[in-house]
Amino acid sequence: MTDEKEQDEKVNWWAELRGLAVMLLVVLLFHTFIAKPFYIPSASMVPNLMVGDRLIVSKYPYGWSWVSASFHVFPRSDWRIAPATPEYGDIVIAVPPDENTDYIKRVIGLPGDTVALVDGQIILNGEPVPQDMEPPVRIPAENDNLCATAFGSEVPCLDDFEPYRVTLENGTQVYEPPTYRETLPNGASYLIIDHMRQRFDNMLPVTVPEGHVFLMGDNRDHSSDSRAPSLMQGGNGLGGPVPLTSVGGRAEIITFSLDGTSSYNPLSWWGALRGERAWTPLRPELRGEPSQ
């Protein structure tokens, strides 16, 4: 009787491992075909995305390709299943032509469009994209996250906004950088920050090839995007228009956000929560009638 009881109590390790493998496979399939979490590691999409934001990225809106698989395990290719084209203003994740890092940027140009820049203003198909001055956004200056530099060190992610630090009446310190509202031809409207003159403020017209999109960050002076050369071209950007086969999904919503006081210890997360950012939708606001 005792032997039978001991046999019943023995762990069936094969069954346990098989169960874990099935669970892992289900998670990988979900991340590949439906949605996956995404962490914002840089300030290139400020003010709409902050370092420390955790997002949900849906994988199906534009179809599936080599980039859809978790960890980018498939070789680069030009096949697509159920292909679709993004809309102006969508926030998407994309992979540069010479590295496997996910970038997150906004869709500015669609296939067939001509994109140029003059003094920081987008010229889309020969027409200036409206860029209206807005009251400066107020970005918390305290408890900033750290971001890696090109030299391997870490600095506060919002360090470039230091000239715009102000102290409010209640003693809170915030950054108030110059803020504009951009509205694309379909009415997609969103805020951008543009506070300095830099080499990517001007760009000769570029025609977006079929099956590509032109992407830019909302923090215009601090974004490595389609304006900037790629790694093999001597830069750290996307190297021009991005093939839709390298676009891996659309950002949908912020689930939660942590400021710079958080650590790997989960006990630190509660105090670091930015509660006002939780469940913020990331689809652009639509204003007015779409341009013809």
Side-chain angles (χ1 to χ4, degrees):
M1 193 71 179
T2 303
D3 291 342
E4 291 180 6
K5 186 176 180 180
E6 288 178 354
Q7 289 178 357
D8 291 340
E9 290 178 350
K10 285 183 178 178
V11 177
N12 187 335
W13 290 107
W14 171 245
E16 293 291 330
L17 291 173
R18 184 174 56 191
L20 287 172
V22 170
M23 183 174 66
L24 179 61
L25 179 61
V26 169
V27 170
L28 290 175
L29 289 174
F30 187 86
H31 283 186
T32 296
F33 292 102
I34 308 300
K36 75 169 187 175
F38 191 84
Y39 169 76
I40 299 301
S42 80
S44 70
M45 286 295 289
V46 172
N48 300 296
L49 292 174
M50 301 287 293
V51 177
D53 286 351
R54 272 70 173 178
L55 322 178
I56 294 295
V57 172
S58 58
K59 304 301 289 289
Y60 51 84
Y62 316 128
W64 297 273
S65 66
W66 71 271
V67 78
S68 303
S70 295
F71 310 113
H72 305 317
V73 295
F74 292 145
R76 292 174 186 264
S77 181
D78 58 1
W79 58 267
R80 293 175 70 200
I81 299 173
T85 302
E87 297 180 358
Y88 289 121
D90 283 358
I91 298 175
V92 302
I93 57 172
V95 178
D98 41 21
E99 52 182 320
N100 282 329
T101 304
D102 286 323
Y103 284 31
I104 185 161
K105 306 294 176 186
R106 193 179 294 277
V107 175
I108 300 298
L110 298 178
D113 284 344
T114 299
V115 182
L117 283 112
V118 176
D119 294 332
Q121 185 170 29
I122 298 168
I123 311 298
L124 186 61
N125 298 322
E127 296 291 331
V129 169
Q131 198 179 77
D132 301 314
M133 192 80 178
E134 290 268 328
V137 291
R138 287 181 170 176
I139 305 171
E142 300 163 325
N143 302 325
D144 193 8
N145 284 280
L146 296 178
C147 287
T149 69
F151 306 103
S153 58
E154 290 187 325
V155 299
C157 297
L158 301 175
D159 218 23
D160 292 306
F161 295 155
E162 197 58 38
Y164 307 102
R165 182 189 287 264
V166 299
T167 302
L168 304 181
E169 290 182 0
N170 63 3
T172 302
Q173 293 196 332
V174 298
Y175 297 121
E176 293 187 344
T179 305
Y180 302 85
R181 178 170 292 279
E182 228 168 47
T183 304
L184 294 172
N186 64 341
S189 187
Y190 48 87
L191 298 179
I192 66 166
I193 293 175
D194 192 349
H195 71 102
M196 59 183 285
R197 292 186 177 274
Q198 46 100 11
R199 58 179 178 145
F200 297 127
D201 280 349
N202 293 281
M203 184 185 76
L204 294 174
V206 172
T207 299
V208 181
E210 190 64 32
H212 290 63
V213 285
F214 195 93
L215 306 178
M216 292 174 65
D218 295 340
N219 188 1
R220 289 294 159 80
D221 298 314
H222 309 285
S223 174
S224 300
D225 48 41
S226 288
R227 299 171 294 172
S230 66
L231 189 65
M232 62 184 177
Q233 296 168 334
N236 61 347
L238 292 169
V242 176
L244 285 170
T245 52
S246 296
V247 174
R250 182 178 67 199
E252 302 289 355
I253 194 168
I254 298 172
T255 53
F256 68 99
S257 182
L258 299 175
D259 66 27
T261 63
S262 65
S263 68
Y264 290 113
N265 182 357
L267 296 177
S268 69
W269 297 354
W270 182 257
L273 279 173
R274 298 166 171 151
E276 74 282 359
R277 298 193 63 75
W279 308 115
T280 301
L282 295 174
R283 302 300 301 280
E285 175 186 351
L286 296 179
R287 293 193 169 194
E289 293 294 326
S291 302
Q292 298 300 318

